Amino acid sequence: MTARKRERITTIINTLLLENAASIQELAKRLSVSEMTVRRDLNILAKDNIVRLMHGAAVLNPGSRPDRRQYAITQQEALNAEEKMLIGQKAASILEQNDIIIIDSGSTTDYLAKAIPYDMPLTVLCFALNILIEIHRKKGCSLTFAGGIFHKNTLMFESPEGVELIRRYRATKAFLSASGIMSRLGVTCSTQYEIESKKASMNSALSKILLADSSKFGRILSAYFADLKDFDTIITDSGIPEEYRKIIDNLGIDLIIV
Amino acid sequence: MTARKRERITTIINTLLLENAASIQELAKRLSVSEMTVRRDLNILAKDNIVRLMHGAAVLNPGSRPDRRQYAITQQEALNAEEKMLIGQKAASILEQNDIIIIDSGSTTDYLAKAIPYDMPLTVLCFALNILIEIHRKKGCSLTFAGGIFHKNTLMFESPEGVELIRRYRATKAFLSASGIMSRLGVTCSTQYEIESKKASMNSALSKILLADSSKFGRILSAYFADLKDFDTIITDSGIPEEYRKIIDNLGIDLIIV
DNA sequence: TAAAAAATGTTAAAAAAATAACAAAAAAGC
DNA sequence: GCTTTTTTGTTATTTTTTTAACATTTTTTA
């Protein structure tokens, strides 16, 4: 990303912080670029969940914290975003009416939350702000939220009481996310505080579904929370290494590739 | 204007207050009316400079304070919006740097949350969605949230674990709201599920501050949670009956009138 | 500096939303 | 109850925005 582009995006964010929303016309004029360029900038912000795009307008997402973000989106990251969206949508497609579900924090699970049909009757438990904001708008969803201390970087809330609330809960499906998946050392995430909520979610759910794009396979992060075999289903993209296809198959886990 | 229409417009305003903007499609679905009807409602709000209409979306005008009086469902709700805002702002003005505060659910406390300066260092606990959304944006605030089952009408989350989290918390100030205040029968709210969180909030705070517009004095609702004497400070508007001024004075409670 | 990559602008076609006009339904007034 | 007024829904038409494809410019990098 060029300095010029980054500056423009910063200006857009500042404008939105001030005015809640702006039309694409307006922004193009103010920035002295074409509308197409503004659109492309906004698409980047939309992928990062900072703005919501509507016809003709960009609206600041109430669940975003734009001032902390870096906008260096590489081709790789952009590609992953696309796959994450497909994974989230596939996850939404396996939902059944009146399912009771737990949705983990994370960007992939955010796409799942977004993809849930507006009127579908569901009971949902979550513990991250972005998921909360997506779900509370859905007419069909009864919502339970496990609170705690707010972690700005992951948008997650965490506390012993929150974990206890998850333990007391029962769900038909739990949708988990991970940052690292390795056959021998298990499934990991980046921070220790996430672990207990994830473990509790898995223990409270009948079916455990792991959502992870293919870049996660073979990676290790510091916080271990489950073994691969603990999952019933894994949803990922076609980039998954052949090696892991076999491992997952041997474990009898349902592998869904989008 | 029919009652039905007024209700719809109130819902639209509340939605926008929570989410900055909404698409016309969304609103039509949520309100179960045609898009044309939503458009007509929004045109009314646009004429009053409450929303800005863009293609496909309605954006809350950041400069305008939606005058709920005009659109309020009941006369009661109508009368006090302005006073509630002043009360909330006064409450914010007594905050000190590094205060640890608890903010109750309610519309008056929502004005308090809005009025907190962006950079003021505070530690905040809350348990209602509207407060959460206001606070999480503030750069200076560390945030803790007590979760539970989501109640759509009050925007509050409630659970034994949430109450436990409040009990484990310690605050310098707790800002409480109430729907009824009576000398003999105490301070009340409208639903039973609110009680435990309110009680716990009061028990965990050094200073208990009641925010209530003057219409609340002399009223009783079904759910009792405290006596008048349990509060250290009461912030209200000049409409408070003389009788209650005396009672509050005799109890040695600090009475602030906006 | 030259080649490659990224970013931007332009256009036509497709998709979506706004508008206006009218018909049907609901609410208010008598 | 009946009439009048207000509100709501539907449709066709107009306007606007989005998308996609390609050409051009700018920036990066080897």
Side-chain angles (χ1 to χ4, degrees):
Chain A
M1 183 177 297
T2 61
R4 208 176 137 206
K5 185 167 192 158
R6 208 188 327 270
E7 261 177 64
R8 218 170 42 222
I9 289 181
T10 304
T11 306
I12 291 174
I13 290 172
N14 289 337
T15 303
L16 295 178
L17 280 170
L18 212 61
E19 308 187 18
N20 281 348
S23 76
I24 287 175
Q25 270 197 334
E26 261 174 32
L27 291 173
K29 256 192 188 173
R30 187 172 311 193
L31 299 165
S32 306
V33 291
S34 71
E35 295 188 10
M36 197 62 227
T37 298
V38 173
R39 281 211 174 81
R40 287 191 262 242
D41 290 347
L42 289 174
N43 281 332
I44 291 171
L45 291 173
K47 273 215 174 87
D48 284 355
N49 272 317
I50 290 165
V51 303
R52 243 180 111 193
L53 291 183
M54 295 165 152
H55 264 255
V59 180
L60 194 72
N61 204 322
S64 74
R65 13 103 244 198
D67 32 18
R68 303 188 144 236
R69 292 287 293 226
Q70 293 279 332
Y71 304 103
I73 298 267
T74 63
Q75 185 120 31
Q76 188 51 48
E77 280 168 19
L79 271 170
N80 281 351
E82 185 66 27
E83 272 117 28
K84 282 176 180 177
M85 193 177 71
L86 291 170
I87 292 167
Q89 289 171 345
K90 171 58 81 176
S93 77
I94 67 171
L95 286 172
E96 294 162 284
Q97 295 227 333
N98 299 309
D99 257 343
I100 305 165
I101 65 173
I102 299 174
I103 306 182
D104 194 6
S105 62
S107 55
T108 313
T109 47
D110 191 63
Y111 287 112
L112 158 59
K114 276 190 166 57
I116 290 174
Y118 182 70
D119 277 316
M120 188 172 201
L122 289 173
T123 303
V124 181
L125 180 146
C126 62
F127 39 81
L129 182 59
N130 51 342
I131 311 288
L132 169 65
I133 286 177
E134 289 299 331
I135 296 299
H136 102 273
R137 323 185 150 121
K138 314 268 180 184
K139 200 175 173 184
C141 292
S142 309
L143 172 61
T144 301
F145 190 77
I149 292 170
F150 181 52
H151 295 271
K152 291 194 176 185
N153 42 334
T154 55
L155 298 180
M156 185 183 151
F157 290 78
E158 166 262 334
S159 67
E161 291 83 4
V163 172
E164 185 53 36
L165 191 148
I166 300 170
R167 289 207 181 107
R168 188 166 62 83
Y169 203 78
R170 286 296 178 266
T172 53
K173 298 184 175 88
F175 295 92
L176 280 292
S177 67
S179 297
I181 301 168
M182 224 199 195
S183 52
R184 213 164 57 76
L185 293 170
V187 185
T188 51
C189 55
S190 54
T191 68
Q192 296 296 324
Y193 64 75
E194 299 177 69
I195 295 178
E196 290 305 319
S197 301
K198 282 173 186 279
K199 280 186 182 172
S201 298
M202 293 183 71
N203 283 329
S204 289
L206 188 62
S207 175
K208 280 88 76 179
I209 300 154
L210 179 61
L211 310 187
D213 67 85
S214 59
S215 72
K216 306 294 165 58
F217 289 93
R219 285 178 67 193
I220 299 178
L221 278 100
S222 66
Y224 161 84
F225 69 92
D227 282 327
L228 207 43
K229 68 174 162 50
D230 297 329
F231 290 94
D232 302 285
T233 305
I234 295 174
I235 307 181
T236 188
D237 60 85
S238 56
I240 180 176
E242 187 53 35
E243 175 195 355
Y244 274 93
R245 289 196 198 219
K246 281 179 194 158
I247 291 167
I248 290 165
D249 200 49
N250 286 340
L251 287 168
I253 299 168
D254 193 14
L255 179 64
I256 300 175
I257 292 172
V258 295
Chain B
M1 184 177 297
T2 60
R4 210 177 136 205
K5 184 168 193 157
R6 206 181 350 259
E7 259 179 66
R8 221 172 37 222
I9 289 181
T10 304
T11 305
I12 290 174
I13 291 175
N14 288 337
T15 302
L16 295 178
L17 281 170
L18 209 62
E19 308 191 19
N20 284 344
S23 76
I24 288 175
Q25 270 198 334
E26 257 175 34
L27 291 173
K29 254 191 186 175
R30 187 172 308 192
L31 300 165
S32 304
V33 292
S34 71
E35 295 187 10
M36 196 63 226
T37 298
V38 173
R39 281 209 175 83
R40 288 191 263 241
D41 291 346
L42 288 174
N43 281 331
I44 292 171
L45 291 173
K47 271 209 180 93
D48 289 353
N49 269 318
I50 290 166
V51 302
R52 243 183 107 192
L53 291 183
M54 294 166 153
H55 262 256
V59 180
L60 193 72
N61 209 328
S64 82
R65 295 161 184 163
D67 183 4
R68 295 193 183 176
R69 274 171 286 195
Q70 219 165 330
Y71 311 106
I73 297 167
T74 65
Q75 196 95 24
Q76 189 52 52
E77 202 181 306
L79 237 63
N80 309 322
E82 186 68 26
E83 277 96 26
K84 282 178 180 175
M85 194 177 71
L86 292 171
I87 292 167
Q89 288 170 346
K90 170 58 80 177
S93 76
I94 66 171
L95 287 172
E96 293 163 285
Q97 296 227 334
N98 299 309
D99 258 344
I100 306 165
I101 64 172
I102 298 175
I103 306 180
D104 194 7
S105 61
S107 55
T108 312
T109 48
D110 191 62
Y111 286 113
L112 158 59
K114 276 189 167 58
I116 290 175
Y118 181 69
D119 276 318
M120 187 172 200
L122 289 174
T123 303
V124 182
L125 181 146
C126 63
F127 38 80
L129 183 59
N130 50 344
I131 311 287
L132 170 64
I133 286 177
E134 289 300 331
I135 297 298
H136 102 273
R137 295 185 167 134
K138 313 269 180 183
K139 201 175 169 184
C141 292
S142 308
L143 171 61
T144 301
F145 190 77
I149 293 171
F150 181 53
H151 295 271
K152 291 194 180 189
N153 41 336
T154 54
L155 297 179
M156 185 183 152
F157 290 77
E158 166 264 334
S159 67
E161 290 84 4
V163 172
E164 185 52 36
L165 190 147
I166 301 170
R167 289 205 181 110
R168 188 166 60 84
Y169 203 78
R170 284 297 177 268
T172 54
K173 299 184 174 87
F175 295 92
L176 280 291
S177 66
S179 297
I181 301 169
M182 223 195 196
S183 52
R184 213 165 58 75
L185 293 171
V187 186
T188 51
C189 56
S190 54
T191 66
Q192 296 296 324
Y193 64 75
E194 299 177 70
I195 294 178
E196 291 304 320
S197 300
K198 282 173 186 282
K199 280 186 182 171
S201 299
M202 293 183 71
N203 284 328
S204 289
L206 189 63
S207 175
K208 279 88 76 179
I209 301 152
L210 180 61
L211 310 186
D213 66 86
S214 60
S215 73
K216 306 293 164 59
F217 289 92
R219 286 179 67 195
I220 298 178
L221 278 99
S222 65
Y224 162 84
F225 70 92
D227 282 329
L228 207 42
K229 67 174 163 53
D230 298 328
F231 290 94
D232 303 286
T233 305
I234 295 175
I235 307 180
T236 188
D237 60 84
S238 56
I240 179 174
E242 187 53 35
E243 173 195 358
Y244 275 93
R245 289 196 197 218
K246 281 179 194 156
I247 292 167
I248 290 165
D249 200 47
N250 287 340
L251 286 168
I253 299 168
D254 192 15
L255 180 64
I256 300 175
I257 291 173
V258 296

